Amino acid sequence: MTTSHDPNALLDADGGLPEARPPWPARDKLRITAVRPVVTAPEGLPLVVVKVETSEPGLYGLGCATFTQRYAAVAAAVAEHVGPLAVGRHPADIEDITRTVHFSSYWRNGPVLNNALSGLDQALWDIAGKRAGLPVYELLGGRVRGGVEVYTHASGSTTDEVLLEAERLIEQGYRCIRLQRAEPGLGSYGAAGTGGHYPGSPNPDGWDPERYLRGCPSLFEAARARLGSGINLMHDVHSRLTPKQAIVLARSLEPYGLSFLEDVIPPEHYDRLPEVRAASPVPLAVGEQVGSVPDAARLIRDGGVDLIRLHTSAIGGLTPTRKLAALAELCGVRTAFHAPADVSPVGVAANLAVDVSSPAFGFQESHEYNEATHEVFPGCPDVVSGYMNPSDRPGWGVDLDEREAVKYPPTKFLFDRWAAVVRRPDGALEAP
């Protein structure tokens, strides 16, 4: 028996394409009527939000599809491919709709397709909560903790600047702080650094990992002496070390009791993570660059991480995230979801729903949004005394004011071309 790959074989009796609908009968007349991407940049970073509208007046859902460096590709995927597969479906069939979209491209995964899928998926969960009159976290089993303690970032050009910022944050109620000190060559993620020389030209002030390895421990030695032992400290390497260099760094930081060391090696070398993890007791937090559920599951299952740092939109939304959190719980791994300025407030709300309902919760990254973002996203989550909480309103509790959103159009190429400025002293390009 052979299977025809002739697309004409899919045409129905009237010469049209079949609907992407399941064989079971619909329980009511509620239908998805439109799926639209909305791109806005109230802080300069392009945010992609998907709005799913239904046949019930006023009932719609919002989902985060933010892939800042390829926002236009995600928006096109939503408009041209993902949306048409969902229109006409009942919004309650989240699992079947998202599986249909996932399989429909034949070649699956990757941040563009998964962010587009995530926007749809999260919007359907938002609708589910609104239909039930419940916040999404109650659909996931309800609270297992009273609030979500978050971590934030203290950075500066010098050790003193970093620690002054950390002290300011401690006064605001934070107990979990990631420290980043500027390094020559723009190589210390989260701090300005120095550099900016012409791409490919030699510059002695370029990014030098050996210099970084020698200098980084002094920041944490000073931090422990000044901030004491009651503050949880973290550090982000941003994937700029080899496995052996990562081991050297982890061992040098052992005396200072870090809560985690983030993204120590590039994604291309994640198979070496178990080796790095076994060489030092410093916990490893990895995963924000993972673009597929199987890859995230391997990190959790194969002993390479202590904390899984998902960018939940990049792996397809809430539906796979809650499954990965359950796997993490079974494997003794904790969560530390990615949520800087390039995660929309809708995406933050999705993170919080899992954080507050999952026993696997470890840490949650946070960002304090500006006033413009609060205007674009009414109900935008806030940090209060180092904690965040999901809204108790139905769905995510976050809305989108499209009239405000259009006031902040995105700037093309700004956040993909930055990768070209991180260079070694000899001018060679360093992976971001």
Side-chain angles (χ1 to χ4, degrees):
M1 177 179 174
T2 60
T3 301
S4 172
H5 293 282
D6 179 2
N8 290 323
L10 296 174
L11 299 179
D12 60 25
D14 297 323
L17 288 172
E19 297 291 342
R21 295 178 181 175
W24 52 83
R27 52 197 156 291
D28 57 47
K29 294 183 179 180
L30 182 64
R31 295 290 182 273
I32 296 170
T33 56
V35 179
R36 298 188 291 110
V38 178
V39 182
T40 184
E43 291 192 7
L45 288 155
L47 305 175
V48 184
V49 175
V50 173
K51 186 171 185 177
V52 174
E53 299 170 344
T54 72
S55 55
E56 180 179 322
L59 178 61
Y60 60 86
L62 301 174
C64 182
T66 301
F67 178 13
T68 291
Q69 291 82 1
R70 295 292 184 270
Y71 71 87
V74 174
V78 171
E80 300 296 329
H81 302 290
V82 170
L85 287 169
V87 169
R89 295 293 306 272
H90 196 290
D93 294 336
I94 300 174
E95 189 80 35
D96 189 75
I97 293 172
T98 55
R99 281 168 59 83
T100 298
V101 172
H102 179 67
F103 293 139
S104 69
S105 61
Y106 187 66
W107 284 277
R108 302 187 279 277
N109 294 314
V112 171
L113 293 178
N114 276 342
N115 271 279
L117 174 58
S118 172
L120 172 63
D121 174 82
Q122 291 183 26
L124 295 177
W125 279 99
D126 192 22
I127 291 171
K130 290 174 178 177
R131 292 181 69 222
L134 298 171
V136 172
Y137 72 82
E138 290 199 14
L139 304 182
L140 303 180
R143 287 179 179 268
V144 297
R145 56 185 44 82
V148 176
E149 188 168 23
V150 299
Y151 74 91
T152 190
H153 317 127
S155 60
S157 298
T158 65
T159 295
D160 190 56
E161 285 185 9
V162 175
L163 299 185
L164 281 171
E165 176 65 7
E167 288 168 336
R168 184 186 71 82
L169 294 167
I170 291 168
E171 289 177 0
Q172 294 180 10
Y174 288 98
R175 294 190 320 118
C176 306
I177 303 174
R178 194 186 77 182
L179 304 183
Q180 305 293 135
R181 184 178 60 197
E183 295 282 344
L186 303 174
S188 180
Y189 185 75
T194 60
H197 56 294
Y198 185 79
S201 63
N203 183 342
D205 289 329
W207 163 249
D208 184 344
E210 300 297 336
R211 179 172 51 200
Y212 163 70
L213 289 172
R214 291 190 295 270
C216 185
S218 66
L219 170 62
F220 288 89
E221 180 182 20
R224 279 294 175 222
R226 188 157 154 180
L227 304 179
S229 60
I231 300 300
N232 298 321
L233 300 179
M234 300 90 166
H235 180 66
D236 185 4
V237 178
H238 222 250
S239 308
R240 294 196 174 106
L241 296 177
T242 67
K244 285 294 185 183
Q245 290 170 336
I247 292 171
V248 169
L249 179 63
R251 286 180 172 172
S252 71
L253 294 175
E254 286 176 17
Y256 313 115
L258 270 66
S259 294
F260 66 70
L261 192 56
E262 180 182 338
D263 286 339
V264 289
I265 58 176
E268 295 81 6
H269 303 312
Y270 279 175
D271 61 310
R272 302 282 299 277
L273 279 169
E275 169 190 338
V276 178
R277 182 169 175 257
S280 170
V282 175
L284 300 185
V286 177
E288 71 181 61
Q289 290 177 282
V290 171
S292 79
V293 173
D295 286 345
R298 291 184 191 103
L299 283 180
I300 296 169
R301 182 196 66 195
D302 294 349
V305 300
D306 298 281
L307 298 112
I308 184 71
R309 270 186 57 73
L310 298 176
H311 182 105
T312 59
S313 295
I315 52 92
L318 179 68
T319 298
T321 296
R322 66 190 181 97
K323 296 175 183 178
L324 289 167
L327 177 63
E329 179 187 352
L330 294 173
C331 293
V333 171
R334 295 181 295 160
T335 63
F337 294 152
H338 186 239
D342 57 357
V343 175
S344 78
V346 178
V348 171
N351 283 343
L352 294 175
V354 180
D355 292 338
V356 82
S357 62
S358 172
F361 173 75
F363 297 95
Q364 173 61 63
E365 185 174 16
S366 71
H367 173 74
E368 295 188 30
Y369 292 102
N370 65 6
E371 183 177 342
T373 306
H374 280 79
E375 292 170 353
V376 173
F377 296 96
C380 177
D382 279 320
V383 180
V384 179
S385 298
Y387 281 80
M388 298 183 80
N389 262 298
S391 172
D392 287 329
R393 293 190 293 273
W396 299 130
V398 178
D399 208 348
L400 173 67
D401 188 331
E402 295 192 58
R403 292 172 298 181
E404 291 294 322
V406 298
K407 296 179 182 179
Y408 305 100
T411 301
K412 287 187 176 180
F413 310 124
L414 183 60
F415 296 99
D416 42 8
R417 292 182 177 172
W418 68 269
V421 303
V422 182
R423 300 271 174 173
R424 295 286 187 99
D426 63 3
L429 183 67
E430 180 72 11

